[in-house]
Amino acid sequence: MTSAIGRQTETDRGHTAAGFDVLAVRSDFPILQTTVNGKPLIYLDSAATAQTPSAVIDAVVRYYNNDNANIHRGVHTLSVRATNMYESARAKAAALIGAKRPEEMIFVRSATEAINLVAQTYARDHIKPGDEVLVSEMEHHSNIVPWQLLCEQTGAVLRVAPMNDAGELRLDEYEHLLGARTKIVAVTQVSNALGTINPICDITRMAHEHGACVVVDGAQAVPHIKVDVCELDADFYAFSSHKFFGPTGVGMLYGKFDLLNSMSPYQGGGEMIRSVTFEKTTYNDVPHKFEAGTPNIAGGVGLGAAIDYVNGLGIEAIVAYEDDLLDYATQALLATPKVTLVGTAAQKAGVLSFNVDGVHPHDVGTMLDQDGIAIRTGHHCAQPVMDHFGIPATCRASLAFYNTRAEIDALVVSLRKVQEVFA
Ligand code: C6P
């Protein structure tokens, strides 16, 4: 088996010398040592799901081998141990995004569930007919559809803030759309389809001036940039473990403590109650009030291990490495004939969307797969973005800190082959 680690370039060695040892990092990820279609795997689909280091896989296995039990329910040793591990992951998640206290972090299934939770609790409690919810043109469907459902349920109106052709929010228009009726502003920090980093501080400041509550979708931000929810002044912030090198099926919702404390429960069941009679039920404290039923305990433990792993690498080092790699990849694609980049914002993270003249993205993706290269093709669950550009789909190469310049070079070689076949 040829290892992708062996395919380093001088520039990759340069990175190593500069302090981020990408080749050592790659050796932490078993899947990156495998082949696909007889070729070393080149994984450029981390925006869909990031790969998982041994430290996370081992933590989950260790948990099932040694500690598996239900949490918050037992006095026996395993239950206490499992509870401590789960609660320690909550504290790590709080520290990761700068929350003031672990109680501000609610375990959910995913970023999608986090946003639905806010829509069906806080927002449903506060929205009246004629009120407005402001989303943006570059939102993932997960930050559109929950708000559409809410509007259908309450008679509120969905407004959409536009972007320009570089894929940047038009802040002047944004400001015009805010008003006394705006109750919720829902915005992504990083676009999954374009890579744009949005100016969340400006948005929260403007929204708060109008008394609106700001829900930030951090699914694509947390793996790539340093996040501090207090600096951002986000009221709610959502992210998923599986895009952060952790297991699938677990995510986190941050909410300011007073907001969470004032909210109605989301789902009913065990764990979220203080007492139950047929006449009246009273609810548990935050965050447990929002965590009905047995959660994904192993997933939470795995997320904790992923946070430890990323902290070990250092988010500043990751940002510097990825910025450089994104720049290298952007230049490489711009220099490739008949390739058009979609999304050219000044501030970007992790994502390169592009099209190849005359070739459907699915054909590009299928041919790259023959070379062991995994990209995503389609609308990326962001159909309004595709509508903006008048295209049905793009090819999307999305990066993580384990990708190398050599892999970008291989992508370009493969794209040239695609062009020859379709010439
Ligand atoms: N984007 C992508 O390939 P979940 O599925 O709940 O973990 O994440 C939803 C989600 C929310 N917001 C943004 C900005 C996202 O990118 C995603 C997931 C994946 O782009 C799968 S569609």
Side-chain angles (χ1 to χ4, degrees), residues 45 47-49 110-113 115 140 142-143 188 190-193 217 219-220 240 242-243 376 380-381 396:
D45 196 19
T49 289
S110 58
T112 301
E113 187 175 42
I115 296 167
H140 185 278
S142 291
N143 207 20
T188 191
V190 173
S191 155
N192 71 314
D217 175 356
Q220 299 293 350
S240 288
H242 72 102
K243 296 188 199 292
R376 185 173 170 187
H380 315 300
C381 302
R396 184 187 70 182

Side-chain angles (χ1 to χ4, degrees), residues 75-374:
V75 293
H76 64 80
T77 300
L78 291 191
S79 178
V80 172
R81 246 176 12 218
T83 301
N84 289 342
M85 292 167 85
Y86 195 67
E87 290 305 321
S88 142
R90 190 193 305 277
K92 288 174 189 174
L96 177 75
I97 63 165
K100 288 195 185 110
R101 46 203 282 195
E103 294 83 356
E104 292 182 315
M105 305 300 295
I106 297 164
F107 275 108
V108 286
R109 181 169 61 79
S110 58
T112 301
E113 187 175 42
I115 296 167
N116 277 279
L117 189 160
V118 179
Q120 291 303 319
T121 56
Y122 175 86
R124 207 159 170 184
D125 284 349
H126 288 82
I127 288 259
K128 295 186 295 302
D131 283 344
E132 294 177 3
V133 176
L134 180 59
V135 297
S136 90
E137 208 183 351
M138 71 172 80
E139 297 310 313
H140 185 278
H141 297 166
S142 291
N143 207 20
I144 299 173
V145 185
W147 305 114
Q148 285 176 321
L149 290 170
L150 174 78
C151 289
E152 280 168 19
Q153 291 159 348
T154 61
V157 178
L158 192 76
R159 297 260 180 246
V160 183
M163 61 182 179
N164 63 24
D165 291 342
E168 294 163 323
L169 286 180
R170 294 174 51 187
L171 284 193
D172 48 340
E173 292 288 327
Y174 214 102
E175 188 138 39
H176 284 139
L177 284 161
L178 288 163
R181 296 185 156 214
T182 317
K183 291 292 179 292
I184 303 283
V185 166
V187 64
T188 191
Q189 189 168 14
V190 173
S191 155
N192 71 314
L194 302 168
T196 311
I197 303 176
N198 285 320
I200 299 298
C201 287
D202 293 333
I203 290 171
T204 51
R205 183 184 38 75
M206 291 190 298
H208 288 156
E209 278 168 15
H210 292 276
C213 165
V214 182
V215 184
V216 180
D217 175 356
Q220 299 293 350
V222 174
H224 299 292
I225 60 180
K226 173 107 190 91
V227 171
D228 185 323
V229 286
C230 292
E231 254 174 46
L232 296 175
D233 201 12
D235 297 300
F236 296 99
Y237 192 97
F239 69 95
S240 288
S241 154
H242 72 102
K243 296 188 199 292
F244 192 80
F245 318 100
T248 51
V250 65
M252 303 270 6
L253 171 67
Y254 158 84
K256 286 181 178 166
F257 186 79
D258 291 345
L259 289 179
L260 292 176
N261 225 7
S262 69
M263 278 157 52
S264 312
Y266 175 47
Q267 295 176 330
E271 175 63 16
M272 53 78 71
I273 55 88
R274 184 176 303 289
S275 72
V276 178
T277 66
F278 287 114
E279 288 70 40
K280 184 170 172 60
T281 291
T282 57
Y283 304 120
N284 205 339
D285 293 333
V286 167
H288 309 293
K289 181 166 105 181
F290 299 103
E291 295 179 348
T294 301
N296 181 352
I297 305 165
V301 171
L303 171 60
I307 295 170
D308 287 342
Y309 179 80
V310 168
N311 285 341
L313 296 180
I315 191 73
E316 287 80 10
I318 289 171
V319 171
Y321 178 78
E322 285 191 19
D323 278 354
D324 183 82
L325 188 63
L326 182 64
D327 193 45
Y328 182 84
T330 304
Q331 298 312 320
L333 288 183
L334 285 173
T336 309
K338 298 188 180 166
V339 168
T340 311
L341 278 178
V342 181
T344 51
Q347 301 295 322
K348 281 185 65 173
V351 166
L352 293 134
S353 260
F354 59 91
N355 272 319
V356 180
D357 284 3
V359 191
H360 193 281
H362 289 329
D363 291 331
V364 177
T366 305
M367 284 197 67
L368 295 191
D369 183 55
Q370 292 308 303
D371 285 341
I373 302 175

